[in-house]
Every structure is written in C-alpha cells, then in structure tokens.
C-alpha cells in the first residue's frame, strides 16, 4: 500500500497533517471528469487544504416537514435579471465572466438560521449533526481499499473544525495553521467542550455541514438557496456594485459587517465590536431587508461547485440556474464541494475579502466549521 501526505480524505495526525490512502473513494457526492477543467485552472481558496476527517454519512430520509407554511422571519425577494459575477478586477478567477441570469421571485430568511431556531429543529426531530457523529469504521472500511488498516480509536471521534489563531504573524498559504479539529466541537459547543451557546440563542448556528443544513431546511418546509438566488438577493437591486450595501469600502464609515480587523490571522482589533460570530441583526440590513449577507458566517448554497461554471454559461441567459451537474475542484480533485457564499468574521481585505457579493467559495458537504452556517428560502 502506498501512502502520501495530502489533504483529503484522511487520517488525522497531530490535528493538522493528513495521510491519505491513494485510491480511496470519496464517501459522497459526484466528481466530474478531470479532462473538463483546463490545465492550470485553480482557484485560491480560504477553505482549501483544511485539516481533514473521516466522512460521516448523513441522511435526511427520516426528517419530516413540520407542516408549518408560515413565512414568518422571511422577506419577499422579487424576481428579475442581473449580471452574475464580478464586474471589476477584484474578483478571483471563478467569478468571471459575468453572465446574464434570470431568477423568479422567492422568499428568503431575513437572517441566518440561529441557534434558537436550530435547537427547535433538533428537539422536534432528534437529529444528530455531522460533527456529533463518530465515524463508524465498519461502514468506512467498505469504501476503502481492501487491507486498509484500522486507524487508532483516537481518530474515530466526533469532532469539528475550530478557528485557532496563531500567536504571531504567519504566511497565509496554509489554512491548517489556524484551523484545528477539536473533539467535541459541535453546534452546541462551537469551540469545543468548554464552550457553549448559552446566551447566544440569537447568534447564527455554526459547525453545521451541508447535510445538516439540508435536514433543517426539509423540516422547516424550505430549501437552501441556489447560488444565483443568493447573489441576486445579496445585490438587493443594485447594479454591478461590489457590496450588498453599494460601493463604499467596508472599512469606511460605520461598521457594515462582522469581518476581521487588524492583522489576519493573529490579531483582531475588533473594530466592528466582535471577535467571532455576532448576533444576527447586529448590522444594518440591505435594501431587501436581509441581514448579514456580508461577513459573520459563510452560508451554504444548494449548488455543486466548479471553478469553470461561469465559462460554461456562455452568452445564453440562464433561467433559474441550479449550478453544475457535478462538482470538480482542481485543488482537491477527489473531494466534491458545495458552494458557500457571503464571507465570515474571518474575512479581511488582505486575505479572502469574500464579503463582496460576487465572491464564491467551496467546502466539502460533510465539513462543519466555526464560521459556516446557512439561511433558507422557499417559493
């Protein structure tokens, strides 16, 4: 058996180093043919090379919609047409080219799903999130090459990724320097067993995987937004503006979003008043009445991720696009990714800057992070 140091799927060693079995199959999702991506087409990502874990299968089969058809806490987003993607030179390669998109009207949660909202779901269904599930070796080995040795019990534990700032300035080319798998970290304990959401009921739920977000949405009688719906809502009727509030720089005037101030990732001056996640509605809503469409926490979208998806659109106007049929990330070819949008409290002008409305990022569906949450939509 040949092994080499890579990033996914992986045995977790010393919290940040991954030993990947060559030929391991990804546990979920679809991966498109590698030939479809031009050579050298890569996208800088603040979620690439995350410390990995064993994937945990999750299913929404047992989730039943709660029957509540109320649109309480949601705002009506009108239908319309816009140019999707970056209009300036600030975007990353996967934000180009701009292309025409039409989306029908829909309803969207005014805020990110909060801890209180998610707690109601868990109490009603008994749902156990991905981060709370210890990998099952008997199930895992069925999808690994024959003869793969069983990892140590210490690696088969329920855990999630926690932001761990370094004590001094470091280079920004390896995110595993500030992300660490923490045993017992989950939506109820976002930074590990010593942390709690008590008193934070109005803060966004985090440490939720795409699967968890889908389960909640099904129960709530809603769904996750498509990437096109999310960007249309974030633009809130503005044309070719870089931010959900317009074109004023994020560091000018009153604080507009919960992002990183100071020197990333070792020193946060908390100029916006927050070190990590902020309660929802801590900053002004956009003109559609949506809060935190920039910063605070990343938000899961329904779509698979491909860096060349916008190129595939061509000159034809897309009508209610639902994203590519399959995922492919040239930085991690074996790992299917879903789109996340909006940036987080870790975004900084020197690094990420994904509080721009056109900014795209990608994360594997089974990954929970301290700065990732979601909001829902419904027709």
């Amino acid at each position: 058996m040949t092994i080499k140091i890579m990033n996914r799927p992986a045995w977790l060693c010393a919290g940040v180093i991954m030993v990947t079995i060559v030929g391991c199959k990804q546990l979920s999702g679809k991966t498109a043919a590698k030939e479809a991506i031009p050579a050298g087409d890569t996208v800088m990502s603040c979620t690439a090379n995350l410390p990995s874990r064993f994937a945990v299968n999750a299913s929404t089969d047992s989730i039943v919609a709660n029957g509540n058809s109320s649109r309480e806490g949601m705002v009506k987003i009108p239908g319309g047409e816009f140019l999707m993607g970056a209009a300036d030179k600030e975007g990353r390669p996967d934000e180009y080219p701009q292309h025409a998109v039409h989306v029908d009207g829909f309803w969207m949660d005014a805020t990110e799903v909060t801890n209180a909202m998610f707690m109601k779901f868990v109490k009603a269904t008994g749902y156990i999130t991905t981060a709370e599930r210890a990998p099952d070796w008997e199930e895992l080995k069925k999808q690994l090459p024959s003869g793969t040795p069983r990892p140590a019990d210490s690696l088969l534990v329920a855990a999630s990724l926690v932001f761990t700032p370094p004590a001094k300035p470091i280079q920004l080319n390896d995110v595993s320097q500030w992300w660490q798998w923490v045993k017992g970290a989950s939506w109820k304990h976002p930074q590990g067993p010593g942390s709690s959401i008590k008193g934070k009921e109005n803060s966004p739920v985090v440490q939720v995987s795409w699967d968890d977000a889908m389960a909640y949405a099904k129960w709530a009688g809603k769904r996750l937004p498509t990437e096109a719906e999310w960007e249309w809502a974030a633009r809130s009727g503005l044309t070719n503006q870089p931010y959900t509030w317009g074109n004023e720089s994020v560091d000018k005037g009153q604080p507009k979003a919960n992002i990183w101030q100071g020197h990333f990732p070792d020193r946060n001056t908390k100029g916006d008043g927050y070190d990590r996640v902020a309660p929802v509605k801590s900053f002004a809503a956009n003109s559609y009445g949506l809060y935190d469409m920039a910063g605070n926490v990343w938000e899961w979208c329904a779509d698979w991720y491909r860096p060349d998806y916008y190129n595939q659109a061509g000159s034809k106007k897309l009508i209610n696009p639902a994203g590519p049929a399959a995922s492919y990330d040239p930085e991690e070819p074996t790992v299917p990714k879903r789109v996340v949008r909006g940036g987080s409290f870790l975004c900084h002008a020197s690094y990420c800057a994904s509080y721009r409305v056109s900014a795209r990022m990608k994360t594997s569906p089974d990954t929970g992070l301290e700065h990732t949450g979601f909001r829902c939509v419904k027709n």
Side-chain angles (χ1 to χ4, degrees):
M1 178 179 66
T2 303
I3 62 174
K4 61 181 179 178
I5 301 299
M6 290 181 68
N7 36 333
R8 277 181 186 272
W11 309 149
L12 177 62
C13 299
V16 296
I17 300 177
M18 293 64 68
V19 183
T20 300
I21 307 299
V22 175
C24 289
K25 293 191 293 184
Q26 182 66 20
L27 301 190
S28 64
K30 302 176 182 178
T31 303
K34 198 181 265 191
E35 292 75 25
I37 299 293
D41 184 2
T42 60
V43 179
M44 173 272 182
S45 172
C46 64
T47 57
N49 300 314
L50 284 169
S52 191
R53 64 168 291 174
F54 296 106
V56 179
N57 288 329
S59 173
T60 63
D61 291 348
S62 63
I63 302 298
V64 177
N66 62 15
N68 182 1
S69 60
S70 170
R71 295 190 176 97
E72 181 181 358
M74 306 186 82
V75 296
K76 176 65 174 177
I77 308 298
E81 297 179 4
F82 72 111
L83 290 176
M84 187 171 179
D88 53 29
K89 297 181 180 180
E90 298 301 316
R92 288 182 286 270
D94 64 348
E95 297 174 42
Y96 302 100
Q98 277 198 314
H99 53 289
V101 170
H102 170 89
V103 293
D104 293 338
F106 57 96
W107 290 80
M108 190 174 215
D109 289 341
T111 72
E112 293 144 342
V113 173
T114 64
N115 287 317
M117 295 160 69
F118 199 78
M119 185 175 293
K120 289 182 180 179
F121 157 65
V122 171
K123 287 182 176 180
T125 63
Y127 182 81
I128 300 173
T129 64
T130 301
E132 298 171 285
R133 304 181 190 205
D136 183 339
W137 172 243
E138 293 304 314
E139 290 299 317
L140 184 66
K141 71 180 182 181
K142 295 175 184 178
Q143 302 189 46
L144 297 175
S146 178
T148 298
R150 189 184 192 280
D153 288 341
S154 61
L155 303 181
L156 294 171
V157 297
S160 204
L161 282 164
V162 172
F163 173 65
T164 308
K168 60 183 180 180
I170 57 174
Q171 292 187 344
L172 303 180
N173 58 356
D174 181 3
V175 304
S176 67
Q177 296 175 101
W178 56 86
W179 285 109
Q180 182 177 354
W181 282 105
V182 175
K183 180 181 178 181
S186 70
W187 74 275
K188 291 182 287 189
H189 307 286
Q191 295 170 314
S195 63
S196 170
I197 59 171
K198 185 176 182 179
K200 300 178 180 178
E201 291 81 5
N202 203 37
S203 291
V205 66
V206 294
Q207 300 291 16
V208 284
S209 68
W210 186 86
D211 299 311
D212 300 334
M214 288 287 286
Y216 173 93
K218 181 179 179 181
W219 171 79
K222 302 178 182 180
R223 58 181 175 83
L224 292 182
T226 65
E227 187 178 13
E229 288 173 332
W230 194 98
E231 184 170 323
W232 168 246
R235 289 185 177 278
S236 62
L238 301 176
T239 301
N240 282 341
Q241 298 300 317
Y243 310 113
T244 189
W245 56 82
N247 62 6
E248 185 177 59
S249 175
V250 69
D251 57 359
K252 301 293 184 182
Q254 294 295 316
K256 302 172 181 64
N258 180 19
I259 60 172
W260 188 277
Q261 289 96 20
H263 189 274
F264 184 84
D266 58 291
R267 183 174 59 88
N268 188 350
T269 62
K270 296 183 284 187
D272 54 27
Y274 299 97
D275 183 31
R276 299 198 184 210
V277 171
V280 299
K281 298 187 178 181
S282 293
F283 303 87
N286 70 12
S287 63
Y288 281 167
L290 300 169
Y291 295 86
D292 297 311
M293 294 298 279
N296 214 20
V297 300
W298 285 103
E299 300 180 10
W300 287 110
C301 292
D303 306 36
W304 288 114
Y305 172 84
R306 287 183 67 98
D308 63 343
Y309 176 58
Y310 288 9
N311 282 305
Q312 295 176 1
S315 59
K316 181 180 179 180
K317 181 170 67 180
L318 302 182
I319 309 297
N320 298 316
S327 170
Y328 181 75
D329 176 10
E331 291 183 329
E332 295 179 297
T334 64
V335 185
K337 302 286 178 67
R338 295 283 182 176
V339 173
V340 289
R341 284 296 203 118
S344 78
F345 63 84
L346 294 182
C347 281
H348 185 266
S350 69
Y351 175 64
C352 186
S354 289
Y355 37 77
R356 295 173 296 102
V357 290
S358 62
R360 314 174 68 210
M361 206 56 70
K362 73 274 186 156
T363 304
S364 59
D366 64 340
T367 299
L369 293 127
E370 191 189 345
H371 70 343
T372 302
F374 66 103
R375 75 179 75 212
C376 298
V377 299
K378 68 187 306 179
N379 298 335

